[in-house]
Amino acid sequence: MFNKDTRPPFSGLKGRSPKELFHTLPTPCYILDESALQKNGQILAKVAQRTGCKILLAQKAFSNYNLYPSLSPYLAGTEASGLYEARLGAEEMPGKEVHVFCGAYREDEFSELLCYADHIVFNSPRQLERFGWLAKNAGKSIGLRINPECSTQEGHDIYDPCAPGSRLGTTRAQWDGQMTPRLVEMLDGIHFHTLCEQDADALELTLKAVENLFGDILPRMKWLNLGGGHHITRPGYDVPKLEQCICATKEKWGVQIYLEPGEACALNAGYLATRVLDIVQNGQTRIAVLDASAACHMPDVIEMPYQPPLYGAGAANELPYPFHLGGPTCLSGDIIGEYSFRVPLQEGDLLLFGDMAIYTTCKNNTFNGMPLPSIFAMRADNDLQCLKKFEYSDFKSRLGG
Ligand SMILES: *Cc1c(COP(=O)(O)O)cnc(C)c1O
């Protein structure tokens, strides 16, 4: 039905078609690609090796811990957004570093967090004042997230922590107003996270802003964490420039550099398989209704928004047969995108979306009572392994008991 599609994100299929590989699987289901994860890991490990930086998996993008053993040889540890992710990192990547940044920590969780985390990064001077001494006494490495007020992305305001009025990170003005010498004394490192799917030129710009605003602070620090959003494993990413940035920064201030990419760890390392349930035509528009939903199973398609890659399909009017693809939910906007095909889609056709390992399994939901897709791993030897199946009780148990 489709021409062979060997471009990323489908190069991991090694020229085999979705039908050959996945026709026995129940849909919808996610398939995590172990070889692709390992390839990403190798790219990241080389950066770490050549620069001396340490690279962490930001678990909010990818937290399918069954695959952590495939990534962990290449990484220094995990990064968490709060207590649960910190615990997951400690449990599932044992012996590696656990870093945590949270917009605001809670009194009733903080002592448990200290059991799991090695580095604790605070968002504000007040949070540092409130919890810093507890962390310090427990032997933790303490950081403050700064806001370098340097927006390097356009059009994605919800992913720009440097946007005006942002709550994320401490600006220099806030620092000057609130950071007493005692608080500065407590710090081991500085953290910033301002990028999203960006190349090394955006990092270079941001590092200049950091130097301009916080250049007087950095020589007193042991480490500098450059956050995530570095699209390192994307074909064409400027790895040499990244390495120059890391080495120059490390030299200049004598700091250990950390990176905590989420996307880059699991980029193009998963698929979402789905089948066509129905075809409807409204005027000129033909719509295939799938058993997968954008709203439930790939929420970033709507939230970001973006159109995910689909195996063998063309852009809206590239090929002879255009179709809108939508989910079975009640939401009019549950549209995955407009694609085109060589032959008309039919009921029962198997479709495969690419780059579905990140911000999917860890972000999906059961809106409309939609079942959660099963999760499979495609192991490096091509063996398909079911990691998790969901059922009615997974839907019901979150709503009461
Ligand atoms: C989201 C986030 C990351 C990971 O970002 P990616 O875009 O997935 O690389 C890392 N650190 C922090 C603090 C984040 O909020």
Side-chain angles (χ1 to χ4, degrees):
M1 176 177 69
F2 301 117
N3 277 14
K4 293 258 186 236
D5 197 336
T6 54
R7 303 162 298 174
F10 300 107
S11 37
L13 304 182
K14 303 179 188 93
R16 293 156 302 171
S17 75
K19 207 166 164 185
E20 265 174 76
L21 287 167
F22 306 134
H23 71 279
T24 57
L25 300 187
T27 55
C29 72
Y30 301 104
I31 302 135
L32 307 173
D33 184 334
E34 182 180 38
S35 311
L37 283 170
Q38 288 166 332
K39 265 195 196 138
N40 288 340
Q42 284 156 11
I43 294 171
L44 299 173
K46 279 194 192 127
V47 171
Q49 222 168 48
R50 285 190 292 249
T51 62
C53 79
K54 293 188 179 183
I55 304 187
L56 312 167
L57 163 68
Q59 295 175 96
K60 78 160 190 262
F62 179 80
S63 30
N64 294 106
Y65 55 88
N66 295 98
L67 277 299
Y68 283 10
S70 312
L71 273 176
S72 117
Y74 308 107
L75 299 174
T78 54
E79 189 267 345
S81 318
L83 178 64
Y84 286 179
E85 283 185 359
R87 178 171 172 179
L88 190 69
E91 287 177 354
E92 299 296 338
M93 227 188 256
K96 299 269 180 170
E97 295 182 31
V98 175
H99 293 225
V100 59
F101 164 79
C102 183
Y105 296 103
R106 306 166 54 102
E107 183 98 56
D108 57 359
E109 287 182 357
F110 202 77
S111 57
E112 192 188 344
L113 185 66
L114 293 175
C115 304
Y116 310 123
D118 303 302
H119 279 220
I120 299 186
V121 177
F122 296 95
N123 187 51
S124 70
R126 172 60 190 148
Q127 281 261 306
L128 174 64
E129 182 185 33
R130 211 169 143 200
F131 297 109
W133 63 273
L134 275 170
K136 199 88 197 168
N137 288 345
K140 306 302 173 183
S141 201
I142 313 290
L144 184 72
R145 176 166 172 173
I146 57 164
N147 175 355
E149 296 174 83
C150 173
S151 291
T152 53
Q153 42 182 327
E154 275 161 37
H156 285 150
D157 259 12
I158 70 162
Y159 296 113
D160 184 7
C162 297
S166 171
R167 73 187 184 292
L168 297 169
T170 300
T171 63
R172 184 66 207 214
Q174 289 167 329
W175 178 294
D176 289 338
Q178 298 168 56
M179 286 296 285
T180 61
R182 201 179 57 83
L183 290 181
V184 177
E185 189 67 24
M186 217 172 345
L187 290 181
D188 298 293
I190 293 288
H191 176 287
F192 67 81
H193 169 72
T194 66
L195 307 184
C196 178
E197 299 188 341
Q198 279 165 288
D199 213 313
D201 54 344
L203 174 64
E204 193 176 35
L205 260 177
T206 304
L207 282 168
K208 284 200 182 109
V210 169
E211 172 164 15
N212 288 338
L213 286 167
F214 295 93
D216 57 325
I217 312 295
L218 283 159
R220 315 162 64 156
M221 296 297 139
K222 297 192 186 85
W223 51 263
L224 176 65
N225 186 323
L226 314 184
H230 316 279
H231 230 188
I232 306 169
T233 52
R234 185 194 63 212
Y237 179 93
D238 192 347
V239 173
K241 190 190 276 268
L242 170 70
E243 293 180 354
Q244 283 158 22
C245 284
I246 294 171
C247 292
T249 307
K250 178 181 144 181
E251 279 290 292
K252 182 154 205 163
W253 293 308
V255 284
Q256 169 69 53
I257 300 288
Y258 284 94
L259 300 180
E260 45 184 35
E263 283 218 28
C265 291
L267 191 68
N268 293 331
Y271 315 97
L272 175 59
T274 173
R275 285 188 172 88
V276 176
L277 296 178
D278 191 18
I279 308 278
V280 295
Q281 178 145 3
N282 183 348
Q284 291 304 307
T285 308
R286 267 195 292 188
I287 309 120
V289 183
L290 310 181
D291 62 10
S293 152
C296 300
H297 306 144
M298 35 188 141
D300 276 5
V301 163
I302 293 172
E303 205 173 288
M304 188 155 188
Y306 80 104
Q307 177 159 325
L310 177 62
Y311 184 94
N317 284 306
E318 200 180 324
L319 299 174
Y321 298 99
F323 281 84
H324 294 197
L325 302 185
T329 69
C330 70
L331 177 71
S332 314
D334 190 357
I335 295 293
I336 299 148
E338 300 177 20
Y339 299 84
S340 61
F341 302 85
R342 261 165 235 288
V343 293
L345 290 180
Q346 295 181 7
E347 273 179 43
D349 280 350
L350 178 70
L351 302 181
L352 193 72
F353 291 100
D355 196 19
M356 282 289 150
I358 49 173
Y359 295 103
T360 49
T361 50
C362 52
K363 209 176 170 178
N364 57 16
N365 64 74
T366 59
F367 179 52
N368 275 227
M370 281 289 289
L372 292 170
S374 319
I375 304 174
F376 288 82
M378 182 167 63
R379 291 297 178 181
D381 60 4
N382 294 335
D383 195 31
L384 282 172
Q385 186 186 355
C386 182
L387 302 178
K388 182 77 184 168
K389 277 200 167 82
F390 299 95
E391 46 192 51
Y392 174 64
S393 59
D394 295 294
F395 162 64
K396 188 176 180 189
S397 66
R398 295 197 315 152
L399 299 167

